[in-house]
């Protein structure tokens, strides 16, 4: 591990999304120097699936030797950010470092990504980063060693990083473009840099994307905390860099990277936007027991024809009420004239549907002929009758399978 040197003692860091994961790891690293940490995040109450709140993170910061200020902040809300910034200045006298860590992710294609998720990603990743930077900048200009550090990737314009998740890439690259622009705009006044991991980092988001088997292919958030510490310890003329964690730690003399591995010696999964193509990442994950949520569609699966037409109508009737009343994830394994695997997510957000494996493990898998599938969603064949006649095989929650009839009714009203 990179040793603390005390360079951040007395510095005040404003960190978005610091209640867990990489944001919290950076906070704890700085706290060991005796830094002041503003934990700006949304989680004030315990989440049923995600660890920690802003208050538990604040307790850990103070236990590590720092001072903490927990602020409930949605970084899409200008007023909430402004109030948190003012509280930080009132309590600590200023702000020296901004860490733009908060981020939203949905690794879905254009047709499968509801506009609500597009707005969420652009609102948090791009607008939130820009807005938080804008409101903190006046205080950074008064600091002796001011830094902005965005957790975002190098601007790799290879189309392979756009084709499967254009909306996410646009949003994430928006954070990187903030680095590119602000580094030049404030050159000589504020250091503005980006940091990205060489390999996957074990976080709640990674567990969601890769399933139970992905953890052993990851490094811990400590490597990002050490890399961030190395950047923040540099003078303000170190600016405009898109830093990869492993590279800067090698420059700092770190040679043993097994110490950062969740399972030392196990093959590691490269992160997005660097050298490995998405298809290679999927193959590596599956070889070691993970189930990637972002698996690109294969050429063997047709993306046109009657099944695609059916799913276009399905997408048109999805909304939060349907999701709330269903709470299930469906996988359709189709054979016959239009074979392929399709999914219907009626468990999260406003729902999504599309080609390929579902984003997380399906609650019910329905296997049938593609023609019978079209008939079923056209209202010409009820799931109950399809099951009883042997045309439909169901694995998983039978109740959820029967709930599809409500969605089919909506579709018929939409004139399938």
């Amino acid at each position: 591990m990179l040793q603390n040197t005390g360079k951040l003692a007395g510095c005040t860091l404003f960190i978005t999304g610091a209640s867990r994961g990489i944001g919290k790891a950076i906070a704890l690293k700085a706290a060991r120097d005796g830094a002041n940490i503003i934990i700006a995040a949304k989680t004030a109450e315990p989440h049923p699936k995600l660890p920690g709140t802003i208050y538990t993170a604040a307790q850990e910061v103070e236990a590590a030797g720092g001072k903490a200020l927990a602020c409930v902040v949605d970084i899409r809300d200008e007023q909430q950010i402004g109030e948190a910034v003012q509280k930080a200045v009132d309590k600590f006298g200023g702000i020296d470092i901004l860490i733009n860590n908060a981020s939203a992710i949905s690794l879905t294609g254009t047709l499968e990504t509801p506009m609500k998720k597009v707005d969420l990603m652009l609102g948090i990743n791009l607008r939130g980063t820009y807005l938080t930077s804008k409101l903190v900048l006046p205080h950074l200009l008064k600091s002796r060693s001011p830094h902005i550090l965005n957790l975002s990737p190098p601007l790799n314009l290879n189309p392979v990083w756009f084709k499967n998740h254009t909306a996410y890439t646009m949003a994430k690259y928006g954070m990187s473009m903030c680095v590119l622009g602000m580094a030049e705009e404030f050159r000589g006044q504020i250091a503005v840099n980006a940091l990205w991991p060489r390999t996957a980092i074990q976080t709640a988001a990674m567990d969601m994307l890769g399933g139970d088997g992905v953890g052993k292919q990851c490094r811990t958030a400590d490597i990002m905390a050490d890399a961030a510490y190395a950047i923040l310890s540099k003078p303000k003329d170190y600016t405009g860099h898109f830093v990869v964690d492993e590279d800067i730690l090698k420059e700092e003399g770190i040679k043993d990277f097994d110490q950062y591995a969740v399972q030392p010696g196990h093959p590691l999964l490269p992160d997005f936007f660097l050298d490995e193509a998405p298809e290679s990442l999927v193959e590596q994950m599956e070889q070691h027991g993970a189930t990637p949520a972002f698996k690109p569609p294969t050429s063997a699966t047709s993306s046109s024809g009657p099944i695609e037409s059916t799913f276009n109508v399905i997408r048109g009737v999805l909304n939060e009420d349907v999701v709330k009343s269903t709470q299930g994830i469906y996988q359709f394994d189709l054979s016959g004239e239009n074979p392929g695997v399709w999914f219907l997510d009626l468990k999260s957000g406003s729902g999504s549907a599309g080609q390929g494996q579902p984003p997380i493990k399906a609650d019910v898998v329905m296997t049938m002929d593609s023609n019978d599938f079209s008939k079923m969603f056209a209202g010409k064949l009820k799931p109950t009758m399809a099951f009883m006649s042997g045309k439909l095989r169901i694995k998983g929650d039978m109740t959820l399978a029967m709930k599809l009839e409500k969605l089919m009714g909506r579709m018929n009203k939409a004139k399938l």
Side-chain angles (χ1 to χ4, degrees):
M1 300 287 179
L2 187 68
Q3 295 299 309
N4 280 63
T5 61
K7 285 189 177 180
L8 299 186
C11 289
T12 298
L13 288 75
F14 192 104
I15 308 178
T16 65
S19 59
R20 62 179 66 91
I22 294 171
K24 189 180 79 169
I26 293 173
L28 294 176
K29 182 73 176 180
R32 295 183 190 105
D33 269 4
N36 309 313
I37 311 294
I38 295 89
I39 299 162
K42 289 176 62 179
T43 310
E45 300 293 333
H47 191 282
K49 295 183 179 179
L50 300 173
T53 68
I54 57 173
Y55 304 111
T56 59
Q59 291 171 354
E60 291 183 59
V61 163
E62 295 187 344
K67 295 180 180 178
L69 174 63
C71 296
V72 178
V73 175
D74 181 340
I75 65 167
R76 295 169 292 178
D77 189 315
E78 184 171 359
Q79 182 176 343
Q80 288 186 18
I81 301 171
E83 290 174 353
V85 168
Q86 191 57 53
K87 287 179 183 177
V89 173
D90 291 344
K91 181 166 184 175
F92 298 121
I95 299 173
D96 302 292
I97 295 167
L98 169 63
I99 309 290
N100 284 309
N101 166 71
S103 188
I105 183 170
S106 180
L107 298 177
T108 47
T110 302
L111 293 175
E112 292 74 42
T113 310
M115 284 310 300
K116 184 174 181 179
K117 287 187 178 179
V118 176
D119 292 339
L120 177 71
M121 289 187 284
L122 291 174
I124 293 176
N125 302 5
L126 171 53
R127 185 180 184 275
T129 293
Y130 184 92
L131 176 58
T132 306
S133 301
K134 179 180 174 66
L135 296 182
V136 174
L137 273 165
H139 304 286
L140 296 179
L141 288 168
K142 300 174 185 177
S143 172
R144 292 183 179 180
S145 185
H147 282 262
I148 294 177
L149 182 62
N150 292 357
L151 277 294
S152 63
L155 287 164
N156 183 348
L157 296 183
N158 186 335
V160 73
W161 295 117
F162 290 82
K163 68 174 185 177
N164 295 320
H165 40 76
T166 298
Y168 172 66
T169 299
M170 289 194 307
K172 204 65 186 174
Y173 278 16
M175 298 176 71
S176 301
M177 292 171 74
C178 286
V179 171
L180 195 66
M182 292 180 191
E184 197 61 33
E185 182 178 0
F186 296 99
R187 186 172 293 277
Q189 299 174 287
I190 301 171
V192 185
N193 296 288
L195 175 62
W196 195 246
R198 172 74 66 191
T199 72
I201 303 297
Q202 188 180 41
T203 61
M206 195 65 217
D207 289 340
M208 176 188 71
L209 295 172
D212 295 336
V214 77
K216 60 188 177 184
Q217 302 178 59
C218 298
R219 285 173 172 162
T220 68
D222 290 335
I223 189 170
M224 289 291 281
D226 281 1
Y229 186 87
I231 295 170
L232 301 176
S233 298
K234 293 183 180 296
K236 62 185 178 183
D237 60 358
Y238 183 85
T239 192
H241 297 281
F242 290 87
V243 181
V244 173
D245 57 356
E246 188 177 290
D247 295 344
I248 193 167
L249 291 176
K250 285 179 179 177
E251 293 175 8
E252 295 291 323
I254 299 295
K255 296 179 181 178
D256 176 17
F257 287 91
D258 251 6
Q259 62 184 318
Y260 296 113
V262 172
Q263 185 174 319
H266 195 283
L268 295 169
L269 180 67
D271 204 357
F272 275 28
F273 306 118
L274 298 176
D275 300 318
E276 296 283 347
E279 291 79 5
S280 300
L281 299 183
V282 167
E283 185 178 344
Q284 289 185 53
M285 292 176 76
E286 291 179 333
Q287 283 177 353
H288 298 287
T291 306
F294 55 88
K295 187 172 182 178
T298 63
S299 57
T301 306
S302 173
S303 60
S304 61
I307 306 303
E308 176 64 27
S309 298
T310 299
F311 272 87
N312 283 336
V313 179
I314 291 174
R315 294 183 195 104
V317 299
L318 296 183
N319 57 47
E320 291 184 357
D321 290 336
V322 174
V323 171
K324 187 176 180 180
S325 63
T326 308
Q327 286 298 291
I329 295 179
Y330 300 80
Q331 178 177 319
F332 303 97
D333 292 350
L334 305 182
S335 58
E337 292 183 20
N338 297 281
V341 177
W342 298 77
F343 76 90
L344 177 58
D345 181 354
L346 296 180
K347 205 170 195 174
S348 56
S350 54
S352 62
Q355 190 177 10
Q357 300 285 334
I360 57 177
K361 185 178 179 181
D363 297 304
V364 57
V365 179
M366 305 177 75
T367 304
M368 63 193 310
D369 184 273
S370 57
N371 288 332
D372 289 331
F373 175 86
S374 296
K375 289 178 184 177
M376 194 169 73
F377 276 88
K380 299 176 181 178
L381 178 65
K382 293 193 178 225
T384 307
M385 293 304 298
F387 176 71
M388 292 178 65
S389 64
K391 293 180 178 180
L392 169 64
R393 297 197 306 276
I394 299 173
K395 181 180 179 181
D397 192 329
M398 291 286 293
T399 305
L400 284 175
M402 299 306 114
K403 280 187 177 182
L404 275 180
E405 292 191 21
K406 183 176 181 180
L407 178 64
M408 293 168 191
R410 288 176 176 262
M411 290 176 60
N412 292 329
K413 287 181 182 178
K415 298 181 180 180
L416 178 63

